Amino acid sequence: NSEDVRCKCICPPYKDHSGHIYNKNVSQKDCDCLHVVEPMPVPGPDVEAYCLRCECKYEERSSVTIKVSNVILLA
């Protein structure tokens, strides 16, 4: 299920750009700043420095398990 996986990048403030959190449904191998941060807030020469500051994590969850757990808790 495409909603059950995502890559989350947390980018702190850089120069005159404020910090931002980016989420995108990508594969685990593409979970990096260059594939997730769109649009890139900095010009070409600053992209590498900006991306080195970002922390990207691949996250998976099972929405079916979450739904079943909620039904059991509410029953």
Side-chain angles (χ1 to χ4, degrees), residues 1 8 23 28 36 59 61 63:
N1 194 349
K8 180 178 182 180
N23 292 301
Q28 189 169 8
V36 176
E59 299 175 345
R61 68 178 184 183
S63 58

Side-chain angles (χ1 to χ4, degrees), residues 41-58:
V42 296
D46 287 332
V47 168
E48 185 177 359
Y50 180 79
C51 281
L52 286 173
R53 300 169 56 89
C54 297
E55 182 181 338
C56 297
K57 292 184 180 178
Y58 184 74

